[in-house]
Amino acid sequence: MRQWLLPALAIAMLTQFSGCTESAGPAGIPGGSRLVDENKNQLVFTATEPGTLYLHDQGANRVILEQPLTPGQQFALDSRAGKAMLDGKELAIKDLQPLAVYQLFFKPASKREYHPAYNP
């Protein structure tokens, strides 16, 4: 009778914790974010609601900029020129590479990240 107990317990534990091992997206990008632009050279995004913009270096798999935005603010990136602008003002971002592929993700302030402990 005890022979089935250990496998059943193992299956129950794997089922319970399997959601915690899944990745929501690229490294450093919180759940609830959406991809809004992707390109090698130029990216542009204008916020329609408050939230946070994430500039992700796809090759290095890391976030190089996390920027809060309010409605109407515009972010623009020209990686060839090594410039990033927010509403026409230059932002200092080190590690911009002219040939890298960048992705812009936006997470609205109203969007909560899904977590099994918060949303069973």
Side-chain angles (χ1 to χ4, degrees):
M1 187 156 173
R2 286 187 173 177
Q3 292 175 348
W4 63 268
L5 184 58
L6 188 55
L9 183 57
I11 291 170
M13 288 179 65
L14 287 173
T15 304
Q16 177 76 21
F17 296 110
S18 65
C20 296
T21 61
E22 293 179 16
S23 175
I29 305 297
S33 301
R34 67 181 186 271
L35 179 66
V36 294
D37 201 356
E38 177 177 30
N39 199 328
K40 284 189 176 183
N41 303 316
Q42 295 183 343
L43 303 170
V44 177
F45 175 72
T46 302
T48 57
E49 59 185 310
T52 304
L53 185 73
Y54 299 89
L55 178 59
H56 183 261
D57 181 333
Q58 188 176 18
N61 195 25
R62 66 187 179 101
V63 173
I64 61 171
L65 175 72
E66 184 176 326
Q67 179 69 47
L69 296 179
T70 57
Q73 283 191 298
Q74 184 180 62
F75 173 84
L77 172 71
D78 184 345
S79 63
R80 283 188 184 166
K83 290 186 178 185
M85 310 286 273
L86 181 62
D87 291 337
K89 296 178 184 172
E90 191 168 349
L91 296 173
I93 303 176
K94 64 179 187 171
D95 301 332
L96 279 180
Q97 303 296 321
L99 299 176
V101 175
Y102 293 103
Q103 299 171 306
L104 280 180
F105 289 86
F106 182 72
K107 180 178 180 181
S110 61
K111 187 83 170 175
R112 285 186 27 180
E113 184 171 352
Y114 174 79
H115 190 281
Y118 304 138
N119 306 301

